[in-house]
Amino acid sequence: PGRPWGAPNLSPFCSKLECYLRMARIPHEVRAANMLKAPKGKVPFALVDGRLMGDSQLILEHLERTRGAPLDGWLSDEQRALGHVVRRMLEEAYYFVGVYLRWGDDSGFAVLSPTFRASMPAPVRALMPLIRRKVRKSLQAQGTGRHSHDEIMNMGKADMTALSRILGDRPFLLGDQPSSYDATVYAFLEGLLCFPYESEVKRCAAALPNLVSYRDRMRARYFST
């Protein structure tokens, strides 16, 4: 319900899409998901130009192509390549560290559980142990779950350190203007820093001043209302 721990959404991909829509000033309405209508069986999905679309990146790319003033219109090919690499690092590698922090780690799950339960209909709440087993099994299949706790923490800290070095002293990921890639960076940073579990990964990110100021700047600019 509402904004869990101050983040736009429990899902970084939902947060990413909402952030992009706000950045691009595209009128939209956020609704509770009816998974029976999800075209790819996951969130987020959106009704765009009369058809349901799934996957945050595919929706974003469609909007970039079809709206008059794309956020990324000012980017060079090199900047687009760097943005692509950072986005893929966060979405296809760090994401699983984040899942582990919430579902695999017992201390993190103790923090997640009441908030997740509150967001679910009553019949689903009883399935929390089953949902957790399924998520942990998926982490094992993907590979992250095969590592030790310390190894996973080191992977997450390395990602945050790399992100900090790439960002440097720029106000946005790729320069003085925001781009669509900032929606991804903000979503994952917010999801880590707002989550009230003091993991080693969170402490690492919180100790990097440029990441903290970036998160605060993005939140104030796009989620103050």
Side-chain angles (χ1 to χ4, degrees):
R3 303 287 190 187
W5 315 301
N9 198 284
L10 281 171
S11 163
F13 296 102
C14 292
S15 295
K16 165 193 169 180
L17 182 57
E18 184 179 357
C19 185
Y20 172 79
L21 292 170
R22 286 170 174 250
M23 293 170 72
R25 299 182 180 180
I26 296 174
H28 61 279
E29 181 181 354
V30 178
R31 297 183 181 179
N34 179 351
M35 296 307 296
L36 296 177
K37 295 184 178 180
K40 294 183 181 289
K42 62 179 184 178
V43 292
F45 59 94
L47 182 64
V48 183
D49 298 332
R51 67 186 179 101
L52 282 174
M53 296 186 66
D55 189 276
S56 62
Q57 189 61 26
L58 295 181
I59 296 168
L60 186 158
E61 289 174 1
H62 172 81
L63 294 171
E64 280 285 289
R65 288 193 305 269
T66 59
R67 296 308 186 266
L71 280 182
D72 296 348
W74 62 278
L75 296 178
S76 67
D77 289 344
E78 183 178 357
Q79 287 171 313
R80 288 178 186 272
L82 180 58
H84 176 82
V85 168
V86 171
R87 180 180 69 80
R88 296 286 287 184
M89 176 186 75
L90 293 173
E91 295 184 353
E92 305 297 339
Y94 173 77
Y95 168 74
F96 297 101
V97 174
V99 172
Y100 172 81
L101 290 174
R102 295 186 180 189
W103 292 92
D105 183 279
D106 289 338
S107 297
F109 183 72
V111 173
L112 170 71
S113 183
T115 300
F116 189 84
R117 286 177 184 272
S119 71
M120 295 291 105
V124 179
R125 294 172 196 163
L127 300 177
M128 278 292 287
L130 179 63
I131 295 171
R132 189 187 187 198
R133 282 197 297 272
K134 184 177 180 180
V135 172
R136 295 178 83 174
K137 187 176 180 180
S138 71
L139 281 174
Q140 186 80 4
Q142 180 270 334
T144 299
R146 299 171 187 266
H147 301 300
S148 70
H149 175 84
D150 288 345
E151 288 169 339
I152 297 172
M153 293 303 97
N154 287 336
M155 292 174 186
K157 289 189 289 184
D159 288 339
M160 289 301 109
T161 301
L163 178 61
S164 173
R165 289 175 178 166
I166 290 169
L167 176 63
D169 60 0
R170 292 190 294 267
F172 300 101
L173 179 65
L174 299 173
D176 294 333
Q177 301 179 57
S179 69
S180 70
Y181 301 102
D182 288 291
T184 296
V185 174
Y186 170 72
F188 279 87
L189 267 183
E190 186 68 81
L192 172 63
L193 292 172
C194 78
F195 186 48
Y197 165 45
E198 296 301 316
S199 67
E200 291 179 42
V201 182
K202 179 178 178 177
R203 288 197 295 270
C204 173
L208 295 167
N210 65 336
L211 294 189
V212 175
S213 61
Y214 173 91
R215 174 264 198 131
D216 292 345
R217 186 163 54 251
M218 288 288 292
R219 179 191 270 200
R221 181 163 178 160
Y222 297 112
F223 286 94
S224 60
T225 58

